[in-house]
Amino acid sequence: MIIENGIWFAFLATVSWGIGDFLIQRSVKKIGVTESLGIIGIIGSVGLLPFIWNEIPLLFLPENGILLLILGIITFAAAILNFEAYKIGKLSVVEVILELELPVTILLALLLFNETLSVTQIIIIFIGFLGIVLMATKTFDIFHSHKHWFEKGTILAAAAAIGIGIIDFLTAAAARNISPLMAIWAPWVIITLASLMIVWKKNRLPALWKHIKQNKKLVLATGIVDTIAWASFAIALSVRELAITTAITESYPAIAMGLAIAFNHEKIKKHQWIGALLAVGGSIALAFFI
C-alpha cells in the first residue's frame, strides 16, 4: 500500500534531500566538487548494487542502455553545476533557485507524459516561480552594477535546475520502463567513473584519499542520505505522476535553508524571505491539490 501510493516515498525524498544538500555543501567546501561527486557516486553505486543485481541483464537491452547512458551524462553535468553553485553561493539562496526544476519538469510531463494540471495548480506554480525570482535577486537598486543584482551562484544554480528538471523526467521514464533503483544506480555508476577519471587526470587521488580519511563521517553521511533521497524519489515516480511527485518534493529547500541559517549563520534580506516563503509554500500547497 505504501509503495503503491508513493506519497510517503516522496516525503522521505524531501527530508533526505534537505539534509543531504546541507551535507553536500559542507563536503564540496572541504573536499572539492568533483571529489565529492565521486564519493557520493561510489557510496550510492555500492549501496544499491545488492538491490539491482538481478536486474543487471536489463542494461543490455539497447533501449534501456541508451536511456540510462543519456541520463548518466546529463546527471553528471547538472551535478557539477549544482555542486559549484553550493561551493560559491549561499545554500539558503541556491536551494530555492533550484526549484526552477519544477516548471521544467512540469512542462516535460505535460508535453511528453500527457499529464494535466488544474487551474489552481497552475496558479500555485506561478506563485512559487515568483518566489524563486525574489530569492535570486540580491537587490532591486537599478544604480547597482548588474553584477551585484544577483546572489553568487544564481546562474550556476539556474542552469543546474534546468538539468535537474530533465533528469526528473528521464528518471521517471527509466523508473517506469526499467526499474526505480536501476534508474538511479546506472547513472550513478557513470558519474562515479567520470568523476574519478577527472580526479585521476588531475593527480588528486592521493589528496582525495586523505580527505576521505579526515572526513569519514561527513562523506559517509552525505552519500547515504543522498542515496536514500534519489532512491525514494525514483520509487515514488514509478507509481505517481511526475509533475505532482516533483512538486511535493520541492519543499526540501525549507529544511536546507533552516540548517544553513542555523549552522552556517547565513543571512538573507526581507524580500528574499518573502520569496522563500512563496516558493516553498507553493510546493507544499501543491501536495494538497493533487
Side-chain angles (χ1 to χ4, degrees):
M1 178 65 183
I2 293 178
I3 293 180
E4 290 176 355
N5 184 275
I7 295 297
W8 293 112
F9 280 98
F11 280 117
L12 177 58
T14 302
V15 175
S16 300
W17 264 326
I19 298 172
D21 286 356
F22 171 74
L23 295 174
I24 287 172
Q25 190 196 42
R26 292 202 159 190
S27 180
V28 297
K29 287 182 179 294
K30 286 187 175 183
I31 301 173
V33 170
T34 312
E35 290 85 349
S36 295
L37 184 56
I39 292 169
I40 292 172
I42 290 172
I43 293 172
S45 300
V46 174
L48 291 177
L49 184 59
F51 301 99
I52 59 86
W53 184 257
N54 294 330
E55 299 174 355
I56 288 181
L58 296 174
L59 291 172
F60 298 100
L61 296 175
E63 61 273 23
N64 292 347
I66 293 173
L67 173 58
L68 293 171
L69 177 61
I70 294 172
L71 178 54
I73 293 171
I74 296 176
T75 300
F76 177 73
I80 290 293
L81 292 171
N82 189 2
F83 285 20
E84 286 286 356
Y86 286 147
K87 186 175 182 179
I88 67 173
K90 294 178 183 176
L91 181 63
S92 54
V93 172
V94 171
E95 283 294 276
V96 178
I97 304 304
L98 289 175
E99 293 214 12
L100 278 170
E101 77 175 274
L102 182 57
V104 174
T105 304
I106 288 176
L107 180 61
L108 291 172
L110 296 177
L111 293 177
L112 301 177
F113 281 163
N114 296 317
E115 296 182 6
T116 58
L117 293 174
S118 67
V119 174
T120 302
Q121 290 169 333
I122 292 173
I123 292 173
I124 293 173
I125 290 169
F126 175 78
I127 292 172
F129 183 78
L130 176 61
I132 292 170
V133 173
L134 287 173
M135 193 68 188
T137 307
K138 187 175 183 179
T139 178
F140 290 101
D141 187 348
I142 61 173
F143 296 105
H144 269 65
S145 167
H146 69 280
K147 294 181 180 179
H148 302 293
W149 285 350
F150 299 107
E151 290 280 2
K152 289 182 179 180
T154 294
I155 303 301
L156 286 173
I162 294 172
I164 295 171
I166 297 172
I167 290 168
D168 290 346
F169 169 76
L170 293 177
T171 300
R176 295 170 186 178
N177 297 321
I178 306 173
S179 86
L181 295 184
M182 181 60 76
I184 303 302
W185 181 81
W188 277 24
V189 170
I190 293 172
I191 66 174
T192 300
L193 294 174
S195 299
L196 294 180
M197 181 65 70
I198 292 174
V199 174
W200 174 70
K201 283 280 189 180
K202 293 183 177 181
N203 297 315
R204 297 208 301 251
L205 280 177
L208 173 59
W209 179 244
K210 180 181 178 181
H211 285 308
I212 291 174
K213 290 193 293 184
Q214 291 176 342
N215 302 279
K216 290 190 288 288
K217 291 182 179 179
L218 174 62
V219 298
L220 186 61
T222 303
I224 291 174
V225 173
D226 206 48
T227 300
I228 291 172
W230 278 101
S232 300
F233 182 60
I235 292 171
L237 285 176
S238 68
V239 294
R240 297 292 309 189
E241 299 90 340
L242 171 61
I244 297 303
T245 301
T246 305
I248 292 172
T249 60
E250 286 304 289
S251 57
Y252 72 87
I255 299 170
M257 281 181 61
L259 293 172
I261 292 170
F263 294 99
N264 296 348
H265 307 293
E266 295 183 2
K267 298 183 183 299
I268 58 177
K269 297 183 178 180
K270 289 182 179 179
H271 71 271
Q272 291 175 312
W273 272 111
I274 295 172
L277 290 173
L278 290 176
V280 177
S283 67
I284 294 174
L286 275 172
F288 295 95
F289 287 93
I290 60 176

